[in-house]
Amino acid sequence: MRPLSRQGNGMLTLAIDPGLSTGAAWFREEELIDQFTLYRGVDGFLEWWQAPRRWHGTPDIVIYEDFIFDGTATGRGWSSEIIGAIKALDWDGAEIVSQLRSDKATLFGQKHKGDAGERERFAWLAERGFSGTPHELDAISHTLVYMKRQRSPEALRRYWG
């Protein structure tokens, strides 16, 4: 028997790829049901949180890409600010899962790193019917990595054949 969400209609997952432009993807079970990009860093993220939102119910799982500052990144630290907000907000009992940026490379037998690896991963996603902004595709990637690690039979059949 498949697990049900707290709403009783299938596990609901929200994945967040934080940054100045933040990608988000909603999945019900293994099916992508919505994706979008939020702009303006933590300010845009908090406006989305506080406004009437594009919500599909209360998420059972919230996955976010963790950001570990290694001294090579530039910018204001938007990712870190959004991660702090994710940790501070009330997700009504959802499981909160962090993944490293490098976890996206475990999605399949990715051969390249950096920009070439990103193009390779986006092509793999496109072959499976996914499209969107780079940040949305990263959020989708994190959800699929989670499903692969959980060994979801339906996800394994659908996305890895």
Side-chain angles (χ1 to χ4, degrees):
M1 177 177 229
R2 298 174 67 90
L4 295 178
S5 74
R6 290 172 279 177
Q7 291 83 26
N9 52 3
M11 293 294 287
L12 189 58
T13 303
L14 171 63
I16 301 168
D17 180 61
L20 181 58
S21 297
T22 295
W26 284 95
F27 278 76
R28 183 166 312 284
E29 297 292 337
E30 293 81 12
E31 184 75 28
L32 176 68
I33 58 173
D34 196 7
Q35 67 191 60
F36 50 92
T37 302
L38 302 168
Y39 298 96
R40 298 184 316 97
V42 72
D43 293 332
F45 179 80
L46 291 174
E47 286 173 11
W48 166 78
W49 174 267
Q50 295 165 347
R53 299 169 267 188
R54 289 171 60 178
W55 283 66
H56 300 277
T58 302
D60 299 290
I61 303 163
V62 176
I63 303 167
Y64 69 92
E65 180 180 299
D66 206 350
F67 177 80
I68 298 173
F69 183 73
D70 63 3
T72 61
T74 60
R76 249 192 52 198
W78 294 284
S79 296
S80 296
E81 292 174 352
I82 293 171
I83 291 166
I86 290 168
K87 290 179 176 182
L89 293 170
D90 180 8
W91 294 96
D92 196 26
E95 177 185 359
I96 308 297
V97 177
S98 70
Q99 289 183 7
L100 296 176
R101 181 177 182 206
S102 60
D103 288 345
K104 294 177 292 195
T106 68
L107 193 55
F108 63 101
Q110 185 174 312
K111 295 178 179 71
H112 303 284
K113 294 182 179 180
D115 291 343
E118 182 178 74
R119 286 190 299 274
E120 184 181 9
R121 186 173 58 259
F122 291 172
W124 186 89
L125 290 168
E127 290 171 2
R128 283 145 186 85
F130 296 109
S131 63
T133 70
H135 299 291
E136 291 168 6
L137 291 173
D138 283 347
I140 290 166
S141 295
H142 282 294
T143 304
L144 295 178
V145 166
Y146 178 84
M147 290 178 189
K148 183 178 179 186
R149 289 179 175 169
Q150 296 299 310
R151 305 187 72 63
S152 161
E154 176 61 22
L156 292 172
R157 182 194 63 72
R158 179 183 284 196
Y159 300 117
W160 290 273

